[in-house]
Each structure stands twice: as C-alpha cells, then as structure tokens.
Amino acid sequence: MDEPRWLDAHEDRAWRGYRRMRRLLDLELARELMRDAGLSEPDYDVLSDLSEAPEQRLRVSELADRMLWSRSRLSHHLSRMQQRGLVMREEHPSDGRGAVVVLTPEGRRAIEEAAPGHVAAVRKHLIDLLTPDELAALAAFSHRVVDHLSAPGRPSP
Amino acid sequence: MDEPRWLDAHEDRAWRGYRRMRRLLDLELARELMRDAGLSEPDYDVLSDLSEAPEQRLRVSELADRMLWSRSRLSHHLSRMQQRGLVMREEHPSDGRGAVVVLTPEGRRAIEEAAPGHVAAVRKHLIDLLTPDELAALAAFSHRVVDHLSAPGRPSP
DNA sequence: CTAGGGTCGATGACATGTCAACTACTTCGT
DNA sequence: ACGAAGTAGTTGACATGTCATCGACCCTAG
C-alpha cells in the first residue's frame, strides 16, 4: 500500500454529498414515518416486502435475503412486530426447519395507511428534486454498484 | 391525502437501486474497515473529522453538529473511544459547560493507518464505478437534497 | 438406512443508538 | 445584580443490532 490515490476535489464533493444526503434523508424519512404512521423504517421495509409477496407470506430466510438482513436480526425484529400484532409466524408446510412470516390484517392495514405518506415523503425529499437525467444516472450507477458488490467472490455470510 | 402519486417504473428503479446500493456499500465498507484497521465506520468518522480540525481538536457540540449526531450518541461513543485511547476530553477554556475532544497520538496513528485502505475501498466499490457524468450528477443532486433538508423550518433537535 | 455435514431459525450476551432526565453553566431581561 | 430561561454535556433506562451458539431438521454419500 504505497502512495494512495486520494479523492480529487470532484470526487470528494460527491462522496461527502452522498454521505450527508444519506444521513439527512434517513433522519427525515424515519421522523415523518414514525410521526405519521407509528412505524420505524425497518418496520416499513418488512411490511412492504411482505405486502408485495404472493399471499402476503414469505419464508423467513427468503425475506432476510431480500432485505439484506442477517437471520438473527430479522428473527429479533419479527418477534417485536409479532408482539404488536403486525405479523405472525407459521410452520413451513414442507420444510420442518422452516418458518413462514405472514402479514396479519392489522399489518396490512398499517402498511396501506403508511405507504401514501411515505411515498410522498420520498418524492418530496428526493425524487422530485432530481432532474430526469439525474434520476436516470442514479438508477444506472446504483444498480451497477449493486451488481459489483453482489459479484462472485463476495460471501454473503 | 387522496390519490397518491406512486413512483413510476423509472423512479422506482432509482429508489430501489439507491437503497440497495446504500445497504451493500455500508456492509462492505464497514467489513473491510473493521478487518483492515479494527475500526467501525462511526469510529472512522469521528477520527476523520477530528484529524481535519485545527490542532486535532473540536468542541463536542461542534463535532456532533458536523456529524449530524445527537449529543447523547456522541457522548456515549466518545466514552468508548476514550477507553480505547483514541481520543481524550479536555475542559473548554472559556465556556465552563463545554468540553473539547482531542485526538490522541494513538488516534492519529489509527486514522492515518486506516485512511489509505478506506479511500481505496470507497474508490473500488463506488467512485471508480461511476462515469464522470454520473459523478457530477451525484455531487450535484446530493448537495441539492442536503440543502433542501437543511432549509429553514427544519428543526435539528 | 444412517452418519455426518449443512441449513434454518431462535436465543442470550453483548455492543450500539435513542430518549428523557439531570447538573452545571451561560445568557438575557429587567 | 439577580432570577428565569436556555445551552452543554453526561447519564441511565431502554430499544435495536451483532455475534456466537444451539437444537432441530434436511440432504447426500456410502
């Protein structure tokens, strides 16, 4: 590791901007979501993924993989959400080790109530601030970065 | 809140890409930083901000504001970093309530050792994957979003 | 069929972040 | 000069995330 290539002024500006945007956007979206719907962002993500799944149900490991969460984290979080009546667990029909998470009617109601406001917030604080070109650029490079990080030689566990 | 404007296909792709990139990038950068330098990202950020400050010292509230952290979080984190000998606290010379955080020699060594590898990782997994246009777009819109979120009428506490 | 290695999901111990006090000090208005 | 109100930083209780481990089950080689 000899002479490192530091970030030049443009790169530095992009990197700092990205991190600051990331943080502020997180704070604001979480704040509004909690205030308007009583949900944390992790709550919302779980409910959202479940609501998009066929029959509002997913295998636990499948959900964990989609969310890029550890199984442990998901298990803890599901327990808390189950306490609140948002989801419930069922046995997997064919795999005796498995568990299936299901959206409860209350969970369904919660996500349907939260979604319009949350989407509006995402628009207000991000999407609607970008030009069409910028939006296209974001879509393009973010997926490129994702592919790069998901490429072979990259162990998930 | 009548008919919500859902995200169209392009917007949805950008939004999902952004969130996935965010998560994967975080995981990978944190993983490499911990493996190569024994630091968490929050550790790195504190050390980095301090090392850029004149005389490697900053008022606690000043540091908290720059990092967009709550004072409480910073206080807890500083205590842990102090235990490890990376920073130390001093009284503020003129404001009796205040405290000043200072980088210790060991903290300085830690950040100087960690920085080249971390910057290389940021390059490898993000910066070098973007075209010049995309980099410029990221810089432009991220700062626009930051400005929007920092605009008046937005209480920090 | 069965032994061994793998996967699944849950759990407990611990690290980290949040929230609401609290103390000590400063600042401002009168 | 003094009291009320505000600010700085810490603390403890609690919520959340991580890591190592475990019991239960699956799968494949022999």
Side-chain angles (χ1 to χ4, degrees):
Chain A
M1 210 165 284
D2 38 352
E3 276 314 307
R5 274 171 63 223
W6 300 108
L7 301 184
D8 69 30
H10 290 89
E11 294 163 342
D12 192 60
R13 181 169 152 77
W15 176 235
R16 287 181 195 257
Y18 166 73
R19 288 192 312 161
R20 205 162 185 81
M21 171 182 75
R22 198 179 166 306
R23 175 87 180 131
L24 281 169
L25 205 48
D26 247 30
L27 286 172
E28 183 60 19
L29 293 178
R31 207 173 67 80
E32 296 190 15
L33 191 56
M34 180 55 72
R35 185 195 59 195
D36 301 339
L39 296 174
S40 69
E41 283 197 307
D43 293 339
Y44 185 92
D45 290 342
V46 168
L47 294 177
S48 171
D49 271 21
L50 274 181
S51 73
E52 288 175 7
E55 314 201 28
Q56 270 86 64
R57 73 184 50 228
L58 278 176
R59 175 110 189 215
V60 169
S61 51
E62 171 63 21
L63 181 56
D65 289 348
R66 285 192 200 197
M67 304 187 67
L68 301 171
W69 280 18
S70 73
R71 284 135 208 263
S72 167
R73 175 180 182 186
L74 182 55
S75 183
H76 282 299
H77 204 88
L78 288 177
S79 299
R80 293 186 293 256
M81 294 182 73
Q82 192 168 25
Q83 289 299 83
R84 299 197 277 149
L86 297 171
V87 300
M88 57 189 191
R89 295 188 228 231
E90 288 180 5
E91 289 182 357
H92 191 282
S94 63
D95 189 335
R97 300 164 299 182
V100 174
V101 211
V102 192
L103 208 57
T104 61
E106 193 174 347
R108 178 125 207 93
R109 206 174 42 65
I111 186 66
E112 283 176 352
E113 250 179 57
H118 187 59
V119 171
V122 170
R123 274 198 177 289
K124 179 170 54 162
H125 300 305
L126 178 68
I127 301 291
D128 286 353
L129 299 176
L130 272 55
T131 67
D133 279 3
E134 288 169 344
L135 194 80
L138 173 58
F141 77 68
S142 64
H143 284 275
R144 192 179 316 130
V145 170
V146 167
D147 288 348
H148 168 82
L149 285 168
S150 310
R154 206 150 285 295
S156 324
Chain B
M1 210 165 279
D2 38 351
E3 276 314 305
R5 273 172 64 223
W6 300 109
L7 301 185
D8 70 29
H10 290 89
E11 293 164 342
D12 191 60
R13 182 169 150 78
W15 176 237
R16 285 180 197 258
Y18 165 72
R19 289 192 311 159
R20 205 164 184 78
M21 171 181 74
R22 197 180 167 306
R23 175 84 180 135
L24 281 168
L25 205 48
D26 248 29
L27 286 172
E28 184 60 19
L29 293 179
R31 206 172 68 79
E32 295 190 16
L33 190 56
M34 180 55 71
R35 185 196 59 197
D36 300 339
L39 297 174
S40 69
E41 283 196 307
D43 292 339
Y44 184 93
D45 290 342
V46 168
L47 294 177
S48 170
D49 272 20
L50 275 181
S51 73
E52 288 175 7
E55 314 201 31
Q56 271 83 65
R57 72 183 53 229
L58 278 175
R59 175 114 187 212
V60 169
S61 50
E62 171 63 22
L63 181 56
D65 290 347
R66 284 192 200 198
M67 303 187 68
L68 302 170
W69 280 17
S70 73
R71 282 135 209 265
S72 167
R73 176 181 182 184
L74 182 55
S75 183
H76 282 298
H77 204 89
L78 288 177
S79 299
R80 293 187 292 257
M81 292 182 73
Q82 193 167 24
Q83 287 301 83
R84 297 197 278 148
L86 297 171
V87 301
M88 57 191 192
R89 294 188 228 232
E90 287 180 4
E91 289 180 357
H92 192 282
S94 63
D95 188 335
R97 302 164 298 182
V100 174
V101 211
V102 193
L103 208 56
T104 61
E106 192 175 346
R108 177 124 208 92
R109 206 176 39 66
I111 186 66
E112 283 177 351
E113 248 180 58
H118 187 61
V119 171
V122 169
R123 274 198 176 288
K124 179 170 54 160
H125 300 304
L126 177 70
I127 300 292
D128 286 353
L129 298 176
L130 271 56
T131 67
D133 280 2
E134 288 169 342
L135 194 81
L138 173 58
F141 77 69
S142 64
H143 283 274
R144 192 179 316 130
V145 170
V146 167
D147 288 348
H148 168 82
L149 285 168
S150 312
R154 208 148 282 295
S156 325

